[in-house]
């Protein structure tokens, strides 16, 4: 069902961007006016037709549209001045019959593939998988970020990275994509090198098949530019727990040596690797969090979930932290950073605990809500240099900003910012949302360039993207393959591509 809410102002969860919309449009799984409730394939066809019809109408009326998930992106990557299509009510998750899998797709993998609608949140999907009610056995996502409020389509298409050091980022567990573009029919995308679902499945979905590695690897991280994702085929795995060792301190010198010689199987079963450092620290000590993947063992009490709490003004510092301290004029940047570092240790880092991914990864860094973050990926081989360079830039600018770093296996996505080999270290910096945020990014990237360090911007956290920076990050070949794939999806229809463009895409030189 489609519900139009009219022109209005809209801002994201973190209150870092505001858009003036021509219309905010809800699309849910309810029956159309005067119709009957659908289930299964008929429901998926109905939703795809509703969304495709909105895209076609937008083209006719000269409007731009963008799919809205949970509004977690800190940049304007998902914003539009036209119609924002709220897909969050699309929360279905479906099991797939054996009959729909290609013979070449391994038998053992089939029970772990589910079809999730775009709007289901990571938390809802975790519940569906871990309870195992429909499949008869529990499963888990292969990786996830620390939060559970993002929609699955938003998390995937924005390249949420997590910290699966031997797997990859969230786009890497996707094996199929249903996409609408306003062409009159949905598309079903897979890699040609890995056929998954049969012609019968695609026909029942009412879709047109496109098997193309470049198209898939472009569309999976395309931040709304390829159309509206309606559903994703996701490969999960048997339910597991992560055992986090007690957080311990490590000197910067030892940390740099470790990063330069990082062993990806030490300790055995290594899954999550993270460290946090204070750029102002006089003793140059960081804290390190390490988790191994272990079998499910009952009797472990997971940490309490941390919820985002927004005030009546839309500000969301979190219920436990006196955020006003970060704005006090008499408190030095070093003191403010030390406060953040302490709060992170007490409230956010996973310390000496054990649980399933759905029990552990439940929230964001609450004491930074309402501020913003900058996040850059570098090769783990450059992580030691990045520690020194970023700390120097922060100190030179007198910024209150600690750094949190997670390491992930390279992504297959063409514009996946976690593609840097042999592993990508993602450095995240909590900052005040003011004019010095872009200045920090400019200073940091200039310093990295001077050191010969290749970097990538987090799509949902960095807005200072230019065509020159894009080329430097990904190279001409990857960028051109992404552009060519977009043209193939839209059959080179410039008017349809314009429907799914926005300012962010134009600034990057991708529109």
């Amino acid at each position: 069902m489609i519900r139009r809410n009219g022109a209005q102002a809209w801002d994201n969860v973190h209150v870092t961007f505001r858009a003036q919309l021509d219309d905010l449009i809800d699309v849910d799984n309810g029956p159309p006016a005067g119709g009957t409730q659908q289930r299964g394939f008929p429901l998926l066809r109905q939703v795809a037709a509703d969304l495709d019809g909105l895209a076609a109408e937008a083209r006719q009326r000269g409007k731009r549209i963008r799919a809205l998930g949970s509004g977690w992106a800190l940049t304007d990557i998902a914003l539009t001045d036209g119609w924002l299509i709220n897909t969050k009510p699309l929360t279905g998750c479906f099991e797939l019959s054996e009959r729909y899998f290609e013979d070449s797709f391994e038998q053992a993998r089939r029970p772990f593939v589910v079809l999730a609608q775009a709007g289901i949140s990571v938390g809802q999907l975790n519940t569906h998988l871990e309870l195992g009610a429909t499949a008869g056995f529990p499963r888990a996502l292969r990786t996830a970020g620390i939060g559970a409020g993002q929609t699955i389509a938003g998390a995937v298409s924005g390249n949420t990275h997590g910290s699966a050091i031997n797997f990859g980022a969230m786009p890497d567990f996707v094996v199929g994509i249903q996409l609408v573009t306003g062409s009159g029919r949905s598309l079903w995308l897979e890699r040609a090198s890995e056929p998954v679902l049969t012609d019968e499945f695609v026909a029942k979905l009412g879709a047109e098949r496109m098997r193309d590695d470049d198209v898939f690897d472009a569309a999976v991280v395309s931040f709304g530019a390829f159309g509206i994702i309606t559903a994703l085929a996701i490969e999960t795995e048997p339910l597991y727990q992560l055992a986090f060792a007690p957080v311990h301190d490590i000197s910067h010198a030892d940390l740099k040596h470790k990063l330069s010689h990082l062993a990806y199987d030490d300790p055995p079963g290594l899954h999550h690797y993270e460290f946090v450092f204070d750029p102002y620290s006089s003793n140059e000590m960081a804290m390190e969090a390490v988790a191994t993947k272990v079998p499910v063992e009952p009797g472990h009490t997971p940490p309490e979930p941390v919820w985002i709490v927004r005030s009546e003004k839309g500000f969301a510092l979190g219920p436990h932290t006196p955020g006003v301290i970060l704005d006090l004029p008499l408190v030095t940047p070093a003191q403010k950073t030390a406060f953040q570092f302490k709060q992170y240790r007490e409230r956010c880092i996973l310390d000496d605990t054990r649980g399933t991914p759905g029990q552990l990864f439940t929230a964001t860094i609450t004491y930074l809500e309402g501020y913003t973050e900058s996040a850059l990926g570098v090769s783990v081989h450059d992580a030691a240099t990045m520690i020194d360079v970023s700390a120097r830039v922060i100190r030179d600018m007198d910024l209150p900003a600690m750094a949190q770093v997670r390491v992930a296996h390279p992504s297959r996505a063409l514009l996946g910012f976690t593609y840097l080999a042999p592993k990508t270290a993602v450095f995240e910096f909590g900052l005040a949302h003011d004019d010095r945020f872009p200045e920090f990014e400019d200073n940091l990237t200039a310093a990295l360039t001077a050191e010969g360090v290749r970097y990538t911007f987090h799509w949902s956290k960095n807005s200072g993207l230019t065509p020159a920076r894009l080329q430097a990050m990904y190279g001409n070949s990857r960028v051109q393959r992404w552009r060519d794939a977009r043209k193939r999806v839209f059959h080179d229809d410039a008017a349809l591509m314009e429907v799914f463009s926005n300012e962010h895409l134009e600034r990057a030189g991708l529109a």
Side-chain angles (χ1 to χ4, degrees):
M1 185 176 72
I2 297 171
R3 181 172 58 255
R4 296 178 183 266
N5 299 292
Q8 57 189 276
W10 179 90
D11 53 24
N12 60 357
V13 166
H14 304 276
V15 201
T16 54
F17 277 92
R18 169 162 288 201
Q20 195 63 45
L21 307 176
D22 284 348
D23 202 355
L24 177 63
I25 303 173
D26 298 326
V27 179
D28 63 30
N29 286 328
T36 57
Q37 181 64 55
Q38 302 294 324
R39 299 283 189 275
F41 283 113
L43 172 63
L44 293 167
R45 290 196 300 270
Q46 172 196 307
V47 169
D50 286 346
L51 289 167
D52 191 74
L54 286 171
E57 181 187 349
R59 176 184 180 173
Q60 292 169 357
R61 296 178 60 180
K63 300 291 184 182
R64 286 177 166 184
I65 66 174
R66 220 44 174 190
L68 168 66
S70 294
W72 273 28
L74 290 159
T75 70
D76 60 345
I77 192 169
L79 293 191
T80 180
D81 56 0
W83 299 348
L84 202 56
I85 314 298
N86 179 21
T87 62
K88 197 171 182 181
L90 304 175
T91 59
C93 188
F94 307 92
E95 304 300 328
L96 295 170
S97 169
E98 278 272 337
R99 64 185 285 184
Y100 296 127
F101 287 95
E102 293 281 14
D103 291 342
S104 60
F105 192 76
E106 295 173 48
Q107 184 90 25
R109 295 169 62 187
R110 297 176 190 179
F112 298 98
V113 178
V114 298
L115 187 67
Q117 282 189 292
I120 192 169
S121 72
V122 175
Q124 291 169 321
L125 185 54
N126 281 333
T127 298
H128 175 93
L129 294 172
E130 294 191 14
L131 289 177
T134 54
F137 58 95
R139 294 161 294 185
L141 293 175
R142 305 184 77 177
T143 187
I146 61 173
Q150 295 161 294
T151 63
I152 190 64
V156 165
S157 59
N159 194 190
T160 296
H161 55 91
S163 187
I165 194 168
N166 290 308
F167 171 70
M170 293 185 74
D172 297 297
F173 56 50
V174 177
V175 295
I177 304 170
Q178 187 186 20
L179 189 72
V180 299
T181 63
S183 66
R185 194 176 188 188
S186 68
L187 296 173
W188 180 256
L189 308 181
E190 291 178 358
R191 291 185 177 96
S193 61
E194 188 178 38
V196 181
L197 297 168
T198 62
D199 290 342
E200 181 186 6
F201 169 84
V202 177
K204 287 196 171 185
L205 205 58
E208 173 188 338
R209 179 193 297 287
M210 185 177 287
R211 277 184 177 153
D212 183 307
D213 281 28
D214 268 9
V215 167
F216 189 92
D217 290 338
V220 74
V221 176
S222 56
F223 25 87
F226 276 50
I228 299 176
I229 293 173
T230 63
L232 297 164
I234 292 170
E235 185 172 9
T236 66
E237 62 180 271
L239 185 63
Y240 59 89
Q241 289 178 329
L242 293 175
F244 276 84
V247 170
H248 64 274
D249 294 333
I250 182 171
S251 72
H252 284 198
D254 288 344
L255 177 60
K256 292 172 191 175
H257 178 80
K258 182 173 187 176
L259 291 167
S260 298
H261 305 82
L262 193 59
Y264 311 131
D265 57 355
D266 184 19
L270 177 63
H271 180 85
H272 180 108
Y273 181 75
E274 171 186 0
F275 63 91
V276 184
F277 68 95
D278 176 353
Y280 293 94
S281 171
S282 59
N283 62 0
E284 292 200 325
M285 297 295 290
M287 51 186 172
E288 189 179 45
V290 178
T292 55
K293 185 184 288 188
V294 293
V296 174
E297 180 181 274
H300 297 277
T301 303
E304 292 185 10
V306 183
W307 305 103
I308 292 175
V309 177
R310 297 183 67 183
S311 73
E312 67 279 3
K313 294 181 180 179
F315 198 66
L317 263 177
H320 304 299
T321 303
V324 68
I325 193 171
L326 298 180
D327 291 322
L328 289 176
L330 298 181
V331 180
T332 68
Q335 290 170 326
K336 293 176 183 179
T337 301
F339 172 78
Q340 294 180 57
F341 191 80
K342 180 174 181 289
Q343 288 292 307
Y344 194 93
R345 182 161 210 156
E346 290 179 356
R347 306 193 185 282
C348 301
I349 202 164
L350 291 166
D351 183 1
D352 194 19
T353 189
R354 177 171 174 162
T356 66
Q359 293 171 331
L360 297 175
F361 302 131
T362 57
T364 61
I365 307 170
T366 54
Y367 67 90
L368 289 177
E369 303 299 346
Y371 284 77
T372 192
E373 283 186 352
S374 178
L376 290 84
V378 299
S379 166
V380 71
H381 288 166
D382 291 319
T385 302
M386 179 64 152
I387 292 172
D388 289 337
V389 170
S390 61
R392 184 174 70 245
V393 170
I394 287 168
R395 292 194 303 265
D396 287 348
M397 293 184 66
D398 281 335
L399 291 173
M402 62 167 228
Q404 171 208 43
V405 187
R406 293 190 176 95
V407 179
H409 188 73
S411 175
R412 294 176 64 179
L414 283 176
L415 294 188
F417 82 93
T418 54
Y419 84 96
L420 297 169
K423 308 289 179 182
T424 300
V426 182
F427 283 69
E428 298 182 325
F429 307 94
L431 300 161
H433 187 57
D434 57 25
D435 292 341
R436 294 205 295 169
F437 173 53
E439 183 185 353
F440 166 75
E441 289 189 346
D442 288 345
N443 291 348
L444 178 56
T445 53
L448 291 172
T449 300
E451 293 282 348
V453 174
R454 169 171 275 190
Y455 62 87
T456 53
F457 275 170
H458 191 308
W459 286 105
S460 299
K461 294 184 178 181
N462 301 89
S463 57
L465 197 58
T466 65
R469 277 181 171 163
L470 188 75
Q471 295 292 335
M473 291 176 191
Y474 296 98
N476 291 332
S477 175
R478 296 178 81 99
V479 173
Q480 191 58 51
R481 287 162 61 196
W482 190 94
R483 288 196 184 104
D484 291 344
R486 187 170 185 244
K487 289 180 180 179
R488 290 203 291 280
V489 162
F490 286 103
H491 300 292
D492 215 5
D493 187 329
L496 266 185
M497 287 190 279
E498 173 62 19
V499 169
F500 294 98
S501 186
N502 68 358
E503 289 184 11
H504 189 284
L505 207 66
E506 291 168 347
R507 286 198 311 273
L510 290 171

